[in-house]
Amino acid sequence: MANIYDDSNLRQLMEKLEYHGYTAIPVISHNGEYVGTIAEGDVLRVIKNDYNMNLHAAQNVLVKDIPRRIEVKSVNANASMDDIIEMATVQNFVPVTDDNNVFIGIVTRKEIIKYLHEHITK
C-alpha cells in the first residue's frame, strides 16, 4: 500500500503515482495522520492553473499546498461494513484511520465486492 507525506513535493507525488499506477493516493503527515487523498486531476489542475513548470520546478510545490477537487473522507477502523460500503459508493477507496486519525490503510471497492460476494454466496 502506498501513500505520500503532505510535505513531499509535486515531483515526488507524480513519480509515486506513475510508479504504482495509481490515479489517487492517500496523503499522511509524518506522525501518521490521514490528511486527505490527492488525485491525478488535482495535479493536472495545479500545473495548468498555477504554474508553467517543468519537473525541476515541481520540486518546490508541496503536496499539502495542492488544492483538491474532492474531499475523500476516511473511516475509523471500528466503522461498520455498512458505513464503509456507503462511502465506497462515492469514493474509489476508503481510507481507514485509528482513534487518533493515524492512517492505517485503505479498503478498495474491489475488496468490498469480494467481501460481498463471499457473504452472499454462503
Side-chain angles (χ1 to χ4, degrees), residues 47-97:
I47 290 171
K48 176 185 168 280
N49 296 334
D50 299 336
Y51 302 95
N52 183 12
M53 68 170 64
N54 58 39
L55 284 181
H56 181 70
Q59 294 181 147
N60 299 320
V61 180
L62 301 181
V63 170
K64 64 184 174 185
D65 296 331
I66 299 172
R68 294 178 196 100
R69 187 176 62 88
I70 298 171
E71 178 188 359
V72 176
K73 297 181 180 176
S74 65
V75 295
N76 183 276
N78 298 316
S80 70
M81 192 54 152
D82 288 342
D83 291 339
I84 294 170
I85 291 169
E86 182 177 332
M87 289 183 80
T89 63
V90 294
Q91 300 177 182
N92 291 332
F93 61 87
V94 181
V96 181
T97 59

Side-chain angles (χ1 to χ4, degrees), residues 5-69:
Y5 291 110
D6 61 350
D7 64 351
S8 298
N9 62 53
L10 180 57
R11 181 190 55 80
Q12 292 168 318
L13 169 63
M14 293 183 332
E15 288 173 351
K16 189 165 269 199
L17 287 169
E18 180 181 28
Y19 176 80
H20 291 284
Y22 293 163
T23 58
I25 192 167
V27 178
I28 62 171
S29 67
H30 278 284
N31 62 1
E33 289 184 49
Y34 174 71
V35 175
T37 294
I38 193 148
E40 284 179 334
D42 300 322
V43 173
L44 294 173
R45 269 185 297 287
V46 77
I47 290 171
K48 176 185 168 280
N49 296 334
D50 299 336
Y51 302 95
N52 183 12
M53 68 170 64
N54 58 39
L55 284 181
H56 181 70
Q59 294 181 147
N60 299 320
V61 180
L62 301 181
V63 170
K64 64 184 174 185
D65 296 331
I66 299 172
R68 294 178 196 100
R69 187 176 62 88

